[in-house]
Amino acid sequence: MNIVVVGAGLAAANAVDELREQGHTGDIVVVGEEQYVPYERPPLSKGLLLGSDEPDSVFVHDREWYDERDVDLRVSTPATAIDLDRRRVRLGAEEVPYDRLLLATGAQPRHLPMADSSGAPVVHLRTLDEALTLRDRLTEGSRIAIIGAGWIGLEVASAARQRGAEVTVLESAPLPLQRVLGDELATVFADLHREHGVDLRLGVSVSGVEHDDGAAVVRLEDVEPVVADLLLVAVGVTPSDSLAAAGGLAVDNGVLVDARLRTSDPHVLAAGDVANHDHPALGGRVRVEHWDTAIQHGRHAARVMLGEDEPYTRLPYFFTDQYDLGMEYVGHPGPEGYDDLVVRGDLAARQGSVLWLRGDRVVAGMHLNDWDAIDPLRAVVGRPASDAVRDPKVPLAELG
Ligand SMILES: Cc1cc2nc3c(=O)[nH]c(=O)nc-3n(C[C@H](O)[C@H](O)[C@H](O)COP(=O)(O)OP(=O)(O)OC[C@H]3O[C@@H](n4cnc5c(N)ncnc54)[C@H](O)[C@@H]3O)c2cc1C
């Protein structure tokens, strides 16, 4: 069986690893449009910017690892079309046949046309090259403005402050991360950044971006503009699903996959940021843009390509590191949100754990600087919200 993987990122690297671990001896071709072998993106907004991680440390495996496993890994090679009827992937003038195709094309940053067309120094952060450019610009006393107080915007703010840059973060919502975490936890992140000297401007609306003598001038409605040496636009990502759509696969905010990560074509699967998954444990579709999902999707898709018939049921998980705050989160409240929050520990001290409840269920859990808590959190998310769960005096470890 010939397997072709399009996209050479985290999901792809893990799919290949699993395929060989499971004993697949057929051909594997991986094509990636970037010039690098697959790499981890989380360090790009953390250790790489801080200088504690070297660029060489981000690669999932080195080139030899793929050669030793007889994986035909082609970098700087964009897939340009898929022919579902003939089961071929086109790479410019060349065609590669497949028996099974895995789409792992990830996502790309949303752009603001007003920033792109301004001629001002504007950057985005998705690739290693973009991270290296950003790292060189985060110098002592440099002024950086960030549009968007999501995970990437806040992680870059943290790294930039630690490098001595002056940081202004502009966010239209009343709190950072409010949609994901709710008011109580969003306030923890707002306080954290303000304590570290970030000029965090919430509820602001960017009306224009201009270029003035090498600087970016960010115009805001009703208030003075922000002037910066560099503007990072961090307003989320869109799934890289145009190849799939053009090939005729069902696409809607990502490539639509069933519980087993199979697309609308029985020979094609999708994994990672690009996959809009019909998640059996969450009772609906979810497209997760996190590290752990890319790894586990990649491995699961590999086993399904080899004939396994199990749905993917793992709950979404993510982590962040900002200043001295490390946290991990598991679960997915979804658009319905939550109606209760149970805090074990001290949010102001940024120590402890939190459970989000909706109706009679625990829908998500998170810890702040309590690394032993993630296993008990995983055990309780999805379970009934019992009296013990609701009682903050009952230790987390006793709930699982
Ligand atoms: C700066 C940053 C920090 C992050 N930090 C965290 C974190 O702290 N915690 C967390 O949980 N998650 C984090 N994430 C998210 C996590 O990195 C992603 O969820 C993960 O990388 C997704 O993996 P993927 O394999 O689906 O896609 P990607 O890693 O995006 O890989 C997809 C690859 O496919 C390539 N490609 C696309 N189209 C084609 C084509 N037509 N032909 C060939 N190649 C193509 C792309 O160029 C890309 O190299 C972070 C992401 C970024 C950008």
Side-chain angles (χ1 to χ4, degrees):
M1 183 165 68
N2 274 350
I3 295 180
V4 174
V5 183
V6 175
L10 191 58
N14 281 278
V16 164
D17 195 0
E18 186 74 13
L19 284 168
R20 289 299 188 226
E21 271 185 18
Q22 295 289 331
H24 174 64
T25 53
D27 287 354
I28 303 177
V29 179
V30 181
V31 295
E33 67 189 358
E34 290 186 67
Q35 58 168 310
Y36 302 109
V37 300
Y39 58 88
E40 307 256 2
R41 293 179 201 271
L44 306 188
S45 50
K46 307 178 187 69
L48 195 93
L49 295 183
L50 288 168
S52 54
D53 288 337
E54 287 303 317
D56 279 356
S57 68
V58 304
F59 297 105
V60 184
H61 304 292
D62 58 19
R63 175 93 224 181
E64 289 68 44
W65 186 93
Y66 298 92
D67 295 342
E68 281 161 16
R69 281 155 188 80
D70 200 15
V71 173
D72 181 0
L73 171 59
R74 305 186 194 183
V75 298
S76 305
T77 307
T80 49
I82 308 169
D83 184 335
L84 296 176
D85 293 333
R86 294 170 55 241
R87 282 192 232 155
R88 300 272 193 281
V89 175
R90 201 171 313 139
L91 316 173
E94 188 189 349
E95 281 191 338
V96 183
Y98 65 81
D99 298 307
R100 294 286 179 278
L101 172 63
L102 177 61
L103 296 176
T105 47
Q108 50 205 312
R110 275 202 197 101
H111 282 230
L112 294 177
M114 64 171 118
D116 288 346
S117 62
S118 66
V122 174
V123 290
H124 301 85
L125 179 54
R126 181 75 192 182
T127 66
L128 178 54
D129 288 339
E130 288 165 340
L132 292 172
T133 302
L134 184 56
R135 184 186 64 173
D136 292 344
R137 302 292 301 269
L138 297 184
T139 49
E140 181 88 36
S142 62
R143 298 165 301 174
I144 174 162
I146 300 173
I147 301 182
W151 297 114
I152 305 271
L154 293 182
E155 288 178 359
V156 173
S158 162
R161 285 300 299 140
Q162 291 175 78
R163 297 282 304 272
E166 290 173 24
V167 181
T168 305
V169 176
L170 306 166
E171 167 61 50
S172 57
L175 284 168
L177 303 167
Q178 189 182 29
R179 197 175 45 84
V180 192
L181 297 179
D183 289 2
E184 299 86 344
L185 270 296
T187 302
V188 171
F189 280 87
D191 293 347
L192 174 73
H193 281 271
R194 286 189 168 132
E195 278 171 30
H196 284 87
V198 171
D199 181 0
L200 179 61
R201 306 205 192 167
L202 301 168
V204 294
S205 180
V206 175
S207 56
V209 177
E210 286 159 24
H211 182 201
D212 183 20
D213 197 18
V217 179
V218 185
R219 299 216 170 270
L220 304 171
E221 271 166 25
D222 306 328
V223 282
E224 286 294 294
V226 172
V227 181
D229 303 307
L230 188 67
L231 171 62
L232 172 72
V233 174
V235 294
V237 297
T238 51
S240 301
D241 56 12
S242 54
L243 183 77
L249 292 168
V251 163
D252 181 8
N253 177 32
V255 181
L256 296 181
V257 293
D258 67 9
R260 289 162 178 74
L261 305 179
R262 297 174 304 206
T263 70
S264 52
D265 181 292
H267 302 100
V268 185
L269 290 88
D273 282 12
V274 78
N276 186 339
H277 174 217
D278 193 359
H279 197 301
L282 298 174
R285 289 204 166 272
V286 58
R287 194 176 62 74
V288 179
E289 298 162 358
H290 296 311
W291 171 87
D292 179 67
T293 300
I295 294 173
Q296 303 301 335
H297 265 190
R299 293 187 174 275
H300 196 90
R303 294 192 297 273
V304 172
M305 288 193 283
L306 298 179
E308 187 182 280
D309 190 29
E310 292 295 318
Y312 180 93
T313 56
R314 191 176 163 91
L315 290 171
Y317 156 93
F318 69 87
F319 64 94
T320 188
D321 290 310
Q322 297 173 31
Y323 312 102
D324 54 357
L325 172 62
M327 68 79 120
E328 293 174 287
Y329 178 103
V330 62
H332 183 74
E336 291 154 56
Y338 65 99
D339 41 45
D340 217 349
L341 186 78
V342 184
V343 180
R344 287 175 171 75
D346 182 354
L347 288 187
R350 300 192 273 268
Q351 188 71 43
S353 66
V354 178
L355 294 173
W356 284 265
L357 317 180
R358 185 173 65 243
D360 61 353
R361 294 267 140 194
V362 182
V363 290
M366 168 178 153
H367 76 76
L368 303 163
N369 287 329
D370 182 5
W371 300 93
D372 293 335
I374 191 63
D375 289 336
L377 285 170
R378 272 192 202 286
V380 78
V381 173
R383 295 264 190 98
S386 62
D387 289 346
V389 163
R390 291 176 184 276
D391 182 353
K393 290 193 281 306
V394 178
L396 193 61
E398 289 176 21
L399 302 178

